[in-house]
Amino acid sequence: MPLIKWDESLSVEINEIDKQHQTLINLLNLLNDAMMTGKGKEILNKIIIELMNYTKIHFKTEEDYFDRYGYPETLSHKKEHSDFTGKVSEFRQRYEEGKLGLSTQIMTFLSDWLKNHIMGTDKKYTKFFKSKNLH
Ligand SMILES: [Fe+2]
Ligand SMILES: [Fe+2]
């Protein structure tokens, strides 16, 4: 059973970006399912690799739009992205060191990101990009 279902409350009203956000939600659900069946640890390597790919592509998409349209909150937004990227590198390091409890930590981290960044920081640009006719 998926933990999070996509709905309009998650939309930033830009199709390309919504699709990328759905990728993150899929990863979150994948990890959740694996943990429910006791397979969290087995799937962690895949999750971490996918997260690294995700950050590279997704953050670049958002940041290119910020730069192109002169989004006023670019700096603080980029800072949250680089913190996320740093955290993923840390998870990778901890995975290689074989640390315990990593699945739960990543799960909590991704849920918080969804709530605070995607539904908070990301949603702040919806109005701005709409005024630039981006959708
Ligand atoms: Fe985003
Ligand atoms: Fe963002």
Side-chain angles (χ1 to χ4, degrees), residues 63-95:
E63 292 177 9
D64 280 353
Y65 283 131
F66 297 162
D67 295 342
R68 190 181 314 165
Y69 293 100
Y71 180 52
E73 293 189 49
T74 296
L75 260 166
S76 56
H77 199 133
K78 282 185 180 176
K79 168 83 171 64
E80 288 188 29
H81 287 173
S82 70
D83 289 349
F84 184 96
T85 307
K87 198 78 191 164
V88 174
S89 307
E90 202 184 290
F91 286 141
R92 189 205 164 103
Q93 182 81 28
R94 293 172 65 91
Y95 176 80

Coordinates of all heavy atoms in Angstrom, one line a residue, residues 63-95:
E63 N 16.4 25.4 -10.5 CA 17.3 26.5 -10.4 C 17.5 27.2 -11.7 O 17.7 28.4 -11.8 CB 18.6 26.0 -9.8 CG 18.4 25.6 -8.3 CD 19.7 25.0 -7.7 OE1 20.8 25.0 -8.3 OE2 19.5 24.5 -6.5
D64 N 17.4 26.4 -12.8 CA 17.5 27.1 -14.2 C 16.4 28.0 -14.4 O 16.5 29.1 -14.9 CB 17.5 26.0 -15.3 CG 18.9 25.4 -15.4 OD1 19.9 25.8 -14.8 OD2 19.0 24.4 -16.2
Y65 N 15.2 27.6 -13.9 CA 14.0 28.5 -14.0 C 14.2 29.8 -13.1 O 13.9 30.9 -13.5 CB 12.7 27.8 -13.6 CG 12.2 26.9 -14.7 CD1 11.8 25.6 -14.5 CD2 12.1 27.4 -16.1 CE1 11.3 24.8 -15.5 CE2 11.6 26.5 -17.1 CZ 11.2 25.2 -16.8 OH 10.8 24.4 -17.8
F66 N 14.7 29.5 -11.9 CA 15.0 30.7 -11.0 C 15.9 31.7 -11.7 O 15.6 32.9 -11.7 CB 15.6 30.3 -9.7 CG 14.9 29.3 -8.9 CD1 15.5 28.6 -7.9 CD2 13.5 29.2 -9.0 CE1 14.8 27.7 -7.1 CE2 12.8 28.3 -8.2 CZ 13.4 27.5 -7.2
D67 N 17.0 31.2 -12.3 CA 18.0 32.1 -12.9 C 17.4 32.8 -14.1 O 17.5 34.0 -14.4 CB 19.2 31.3 -13.3 CG 20.0 30.7 -12.1 OD1 19.7 31.2 -11.0 OD2 20.8 29.8 -12.2
R68 N 16.6 32.0 -14.9 CA 16.1 32.5 -16.2 C 15.1 33.6 -15.9 O 15.1 34.6 -16.6 CB 15.4 31.4 -17.0 CG 15.0 31.9 -18.4 CD 14.4 30.8 -19.2 NE 15.0 29.5 -19.1 CZ 14.4 28.4 -19.5 NH1 13.2 28.4 -20.0 NH2 15.1 27.2 -19.4
Y69 N 14.3 33.4 -14.9 CA 13.2 34.4 -14.6 C 13.5 35.4 -13.5 O 12.7 36.2 -13.1 CB 11.9 33.7 -14.3 CG 11.3 32.9 -15.5 CD1 11.5 31.6 -15.7 CD2 10.7 33.6 -16.6 CE1 11.0 30.9 -16.8 CE2 10.2 32.9 -17.7 CZ 10.4 31.6 -17.8 OH 9.9 30.9 -18.9
G70 N 14.7 35.3 -12.9 CA 15.0 36.2 -11.8 C 14.2 36.0 -10.6 O 13.7 37.0 -10.0
Y71 N 14.0 34.8 -10.1 CA 13.1 34.5 -9.0 C 13.8 35.1 -7.7 O 14.9 34.9 -7.4 CB 13.0 33.0 -8.8 CG 12.2 32.5 -7.6 CD1 10.9 33.0 -7.4 CD2 12.7 31.6 -6.7 CE1 10.1 32.6 -6.3 CE2 11.9 31.1 -5.6 CZ 10.6 31.6 -5.4 OH 9.9 31.2 -4.4
P72 N 13.0 36.0 -7.0 CA 13.6 36.7 -5.9 C 14.1 35.8 -4.7 O 14.9 36.3 -4.0 CB 12.4 37.6 -5.4 CG 11.3 37.5 -6.4 CD 11.6 36.3 -7.2
E73 N 13.5 34.6 -4.5 CA 14.0 33.8 -3.4 C 15.0 32.8 -3.8 O 15.1 31.7 -3.1 CB 12.7 33.2 -2.7 CG 11.9 34.3 -2.0 CD 10.8 33.8 -1.1 OE1 11.1 32.9 -0.3 OE2 9.7 34.2 -1.3
T74 N 15.7 33.0 -4.9 CA 16.6 32.1 -5.4 C 17.7 31.6 -4.4 O 17.9 30.4 -4.2 CB 17.4 32.7 -6.6 OG1 16.4 32.9 -7.7 CG2 18.4 31.7 -7.2
L75 N 18.3 32.5 -3.7 CA 19.4 32.2 -2.8 C 19.0 31.2 -1.7 O 19.7 30.2 -1.5 CB 20.0 33.5 -2.2 CG 21.3 34.0 -2.9 CD1 21.6 35.4 -2.5 CD2 22.4 33.0 -2.6
S76 N 17.9 31.6 -1.0 CA 17.5 30.7 0.2 C 17.0 29.4 -0.4 O 17.2 28.4 0.3 CB 16.5 31.4 1.0 OG 15.4 31.8 0.2
H77 N 16.4 29.4 -1.5 CA 15.9 28.1 -2.1 C 17.1 27.2 -2.5 O 17.1 26.0 -2.1 CB 15.0 28.4 -3.3 CG 14.1 27.3 -3.6 ND1 12.8 27.4 -3.9 CD2 14.4 25.9 -3.8 CE1 12.2 26.2 -4.2 NE2 13.2 25.3 -4.1
K78 N 18.1 27.8 -3.1 CA 19.2 27.0 -3.5 C 20.0 26.5 -2.3 O 20.5 25.4 -2.4 CB 20.2 27.9 -4.4 CG 19.8 28.0 -5.8 CD 20.8 28.8 -6.6 CE 20.4 29.0 -8.1 NZ 21.4 29.8 -8.8
K79 N 19.9 27.2 -1.3 CA 20.6 26.7 0.0 C 19.9 25.5 0.5 O 20.6 24.5 0.9 CB 20.5 27.9 1.0 CG 20.9 27.5 2.4 CD 22.4 27.5 2.7 CE 22.8 27.4 4.1 NZ 22.5 26.1 4.7
E80 N 18.6 25.4 0.4 CA 17.9 24.2 0.9 C 18.2 23.0 0.0 O 18.4 21.9 0.4 CB 16.3 24.4 0.9 CG 15.9 25.4 2.0 CD 14.4 25.5 2.2 OE1 13.7 24.5 1.9 OE2 13.9 26.5 2.6
H81 N 18.4 23.3 -1.3 CA 18.8 22.2 -2.2 C 20.2 21.7 -1.9 O 20.4 20.5 -1.9 CB 18.7 22.7 -3.7 CG 17.4 22.9 -4.3 ND1 17.2 23.5 -5.5 CD2 16.2 22.6 -3.8 CE1 15.9 23.6 -5.7 NE2 15.2 23.0 -4.7
S82 N 21.1 22.6 -1.7 CA 22.4 22.1 -1.4 C 22.5 21.4 -0.1 O 23.3 20.5 0.1 CB 23.5 23.2 -1.6 OG 23.4 24.1 -0.5
D83 N 21.7 21.8 0.9 CA 21.6 21.1 2.2 C 21.1 19.7 1.9 O 21.6 18.7 2.5 CB 20.7 21.8 3.2 CG 21.3 23.1 3.7 OD1 22.5 23.3 3.5 OD2 20.6 23.9 4.3
F84 N 20.1 19.5 1.1 CA 19.6 18.2 0.8 C 20.6 17.3 0.1 O 20.8 16.2 0.5 CB 18.4 18.4 -0.2 CG 17.6 17.1 -0.5 CD1 16.5 16.7 0.2 CD2 18.1 16.3 -1.5 CE1 15.8 15.6 -0.1 CE2 17.4 15.1 -1.9 CZ 16.2 14.7 -1.1
T85 N 21.3 17.9 -0.9 CA 22.4 17.2 -1.6 C 23.5 16.7 -0.6 O 23.9 15.6 -0.6 CB 23.0 18.1 -2.7 OG1 22.0 18.5 -3.5 CG2 24.0 17.3 -3.5
G86 N 23.8 17.6 0.4 CA 24.8 17.3 1.4 C 24.4 16.1 2.2 O 25.1 15.2 2.6
K87 N 23.1 16.1 2.6 CA 22.5 15.1 3.4 C 22.5 13.8 2.7 O 22.8 12.7 3.3 CB 21.1 15.5 3.8 CG 20.5 14.8 5.0 CD 21.0 15.3 6.3 CE 20.6 14.4 7.4 NZ 21.3 14.5 8.6
V88 N 22.2 13.8 1.4 CA 22.2 12.5 0.7 C 23.7 11.9 0.6 O 23.9 10.7 0.8 CB 21.7 12.7 -0.8 CG1 21.8 11.5 -1.6 CG2 20.2 13.1 -0.7
S89 N 24.7 12.8 0.4 CA 26.1 12.3 0.5 C 26.4 11.7 1.8 O 27.1 10.7 1.9 CB 27.1 13.5 0.2 OG 26.8 14.2 -0.9
E90 N 25.9 12.3 2.9 CA 26.1 11.8 4.2 C 25.5 10.4 4.4 O 26.1 9.5 4.9 CB 25.4 12.8 5.2 CG 25.9 12.7 6.6 CD 25.1 13.7 7.5 OE1 25.2 14.9 7.3 OE2 24.3 13.2 8.3
F91 N 24.2 10.3 3.8 CA 23.6 9.0 3.9 C 24.4 7.9 3.1 O 24.5 6.8 3.6 CB 22.2 9.0 3.3 CG 21.2 9.8 4.1 CD1 20.2 10.6 3.6 CD2 21.1 9.6 5.5 CE1 19.3 11.3 4.4 CE2 20.2 10.2 6.3 CZ 19.3 11.1 5.7
R92 N 25.0 8.3 2.0 CA 25.8 7.4 1.2 C 27.0 6.9 2.0 O 27.3 5.7 2.1 CB 26.2 8.1 -0.1 CG 26.8 7.2 -1.0 CD 27.7 7.9 -2.0 NE 28.6 7.0 -2.6 CZ 28.4 6.6 -3.9 NH1 27.5 7.1 -4.6 NH2 29.2 5.7 -4.4
Q93 N 27.6 7.9 2.7 CA 28.8 7.6 3.5 C 28.4 6.6 4.6 O 29.0 5.6 4.9 CB 29.2 8.9 4.1 CG 30.4 8.8 5.0 CD 31.7 8.8 4.2 OE1 31.7 9.4 3.1 NE2 32.8 8.2 4.7
R94 N 27.3 6.9 5.3 CA 26.8 6.1 6.4 C 26.4 4.7 5.9 O 26.6 3.7 6.6 CB 25.6 6.7 7.1 CG 26.0 8.0 7.8 CD 24.8 8.7 8.3 NE 24.1 7.9 9.4 CZ 24.4 8.0 10.7 NH1 25.3 8.9 11.1 NH2 23.7 7.3 11.5
Y95 N 25.9 4.6 4.7 CA 25.5 3.3 4.1 C 26.8 2.5 4.0 O 26.8 1.3 4.3 CB 24.8 3.5 2.8 CG 24.5 2.2 2.1 CD1 23.4 1.5 2.5 CD2 25.3 1.7 1.1 CE1 23.1 0.3 1.9 CE2 25.1 0.5 0.5 CZ 24.0 -0.2 0.9 OH 23.7 -1.4 0.2

